[in-house]
């Protein structure tokens, strides 16, 4: 009886910890004053953003990635041309905000937590400082 309660509690804790790390994207928030809002640059015209997307699709590495996904360059360009101006602006803004690489520290921490949880639940024996619930 006691082992079943401990196992259920451990499982619930594992699910809760995993759920806490799902939204991994960094969030930045700050107060801004009125003068900085007044001097902000307007959103790029859709024609410039559309050309930015065309240039991106023209790169060889992007074309190779599209080929791996089963999409040729002509189809991708046709889809860009079919987007509305608002969609093109939104997509161009998202492209500017994407990080250049992955977050290694977050990946290492999540891997450690998964291995630790499996060690505590008794599925593996990796860390010598844990005791299995089994």
């Amino acid at each position: 009886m006691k082992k079943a309660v401990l196992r259920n509690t451990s499982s619930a804790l594992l699910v809760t910890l995993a759920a806490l790390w799902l939204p991994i994207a960094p969030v930045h928030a700050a107060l801004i004053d009125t003068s900085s809002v007044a001097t902000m640059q307007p959103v790029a015209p859709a024609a410039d953003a559309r050309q930015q997307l065309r240039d991106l699709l023209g790169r060889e590495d992007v074309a190779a990635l599209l080929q791996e996904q089963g999409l040729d360059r002509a189809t991708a360009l046709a889809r860009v041309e079919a987007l509305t101006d608002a969609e093109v602006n939104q997509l161009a803004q998202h492209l500017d905000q994407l990080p250049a690489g992955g977050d290694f520290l977050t990946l290492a921490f999540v891997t450690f937590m998964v291995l630790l949880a499996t060690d505590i639940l008794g599925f593996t024996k990796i860390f010598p400082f844990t005791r299995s619930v089994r």
Side-chain angles (χ1 to χ4, degrees):
M1 177 74 176
K2 187 176 180 182
K3 284 187 177 184
V5 171
L6 188 58
R7 186 176 307 128
N8 290 338
T9 304
S10 298
S11 298
L13 182 62
L14 175 66
V15 169
T16 304
L17 284 174
L20 287 175
W21 286 99
L22 284 179
I24 297 175
V27 177
H28 304 285
L31 294 174
I32 56 174
D33 57 355
T34 307
S35 62
S36 64
V37 173
T39 60
M40 282 184 162
Q41 295 292 329
V43 175
D48 293 341
R50 197 175 301 272
Q51 185 59 41
Q52 180 185 8
L53 291 175
R54 283 188 207 113
D55 294 342
L56 180 68
L57 290 175
R59 292 179 20 193
E60 291 301 321
D61 57 337
V62 174
L65 289 173
L66 288 174
Q67 284 295 104
E68 287 178 14
Q69 299 295 324
L71 184 68
D72 63 339
R73 187 181 296 179
T75 306
L77 284 171
R79 289 182 182 180
V80 167
E81 297 303 324
L83 293 173
T84 65
D85 290 345
E87 291 170 335
V88 169
N89 283 332
Q90 183 181 11
L91 186 58
Q93 285 176 349
H94 285 300
L95 286 176
D96 291 338
Q97 296 171 356
L98 289 176
D103 189 5
F104 175 74
L105 187 61
T106 303
L107 177 65
F109 181 73
V110 169
T111 304
F112 172 74
M113 292 303 294
V114 168
L115 291 175
L116 182 65
T118 58
D119 215 22
I120 291 171
L121 292 174
F123 298 123
T124 60
K125 185 61 181 155
I126 298 171
F127 303 112
F129 56 86
T130 62
R131 283 189 294 166
S132 175
V133 295
R134 288 185 173 187

